[in-house]
Amino acid sequence: MVAEMSAEIDRVKFIVPGIGINVNNERDSMPTHATSLKNELGDPVSRIAVAQEVLREMEFHYMQWIEGKWKSIRGEWQNLSETLGKRISVVCHGRSVEGNALDIDEDGGLLIRRDNGIIVKVTAGDVINMR
């Protein structure tokens, strides 16, 4: 059984991606587990170049989605996900769902197995990784 928790809107009108990239941060200004492009590459990096490349990649994937190539995007999303396989909590419109992130379904919804075994499909919300 799959229940669904989603926004009241049934069509996508806009997307607001939350992306955090440490570009030229120094090690002592970040948490111990974090790094930056500068630290990894050894030299300062142009923030403008990083923003341009992020926008190019977003446009590329958006065009794949528009052209009906969702399966390739979904596969890459699954492979790169830091959420799948972890215990999470998702908050949407004052409601929360907690459980184990199982998969991303054919529609882009996040499937979560709650502690009672019910699988819930979440299509909008703030994801919090539980530790």
Side-chain angles (χ1 to χ4, degrees):
M1 176 180 177
V2 176
E4 185 169 350
M5 178 178 152
S6 65
E8 294 175 3
I9 302 170
D10 62 354
R11 295 176 57 120
V12 176
K13 293 185 181 180
F14 60 88
I15 297 173
V16 180
I19 300 171
I21 302 173
N22 295 324
V23 179
N24 290 317
N25 305 57
E26 298 295 336
R27 285 197 194 278
D28 61 355
S29 70
M30 298 179 291
T32 56
H33 65 277
T35 190
S36 70
L37 295 175
K38 176 184 173 183
N39 289 331
E40 295 301 312
L41 299 173
D43 289 311
V45 177
S46 165
R47 286 183 173 92
I48 292 170
V50 170
Q52 289 172 329
E53 188 59 30
V54 167
L55 292 171
R56 269 193 286 277
E57 284 292 314
M58 289 176 71
E59 180 180 33
F60 172 77
H61 290 292
Y62 175 71
M63 293 310 296
Q64 281 192 314
W65 178 67
I66 291 294
E67 294 168 7
K69 299 176 183 173
W70 163 243
K71 287 184 182 182
S72 66
I73 298 169
R74 179 179 174 228
E76 188 173 351
W77 189 359
Q78 289 167 316
N79 290 335
L80 296 173
S81 175
E82 290 288 328
T83 301
L84 296 181
K86 294 188 177 164
R87 184 154 186 87
I88 63 168
S89 176
V90 179
V91 179
C92 179
H93 297 293
R95 294 178 48 210
S96 67
V97 174
E98 187 173 321
N100 296 313
L102 296 178
D103 201 0
I104 298 163
D105 77 355
E106 293 79 22
D107 298 322
L110 179 61
L111 300 179
I112 302 170
R113 177 177 285 125
R114 298 180 72 159
D115 293 340
N116 62 7
I118 294 175
I119 297 173
V120 178
K121 175 179 176 177
V122 178
T123 57
D126 295 318
V127 176
I128 301 164
N129 285 337
M130 311 294 280
R131 296 183 193 231

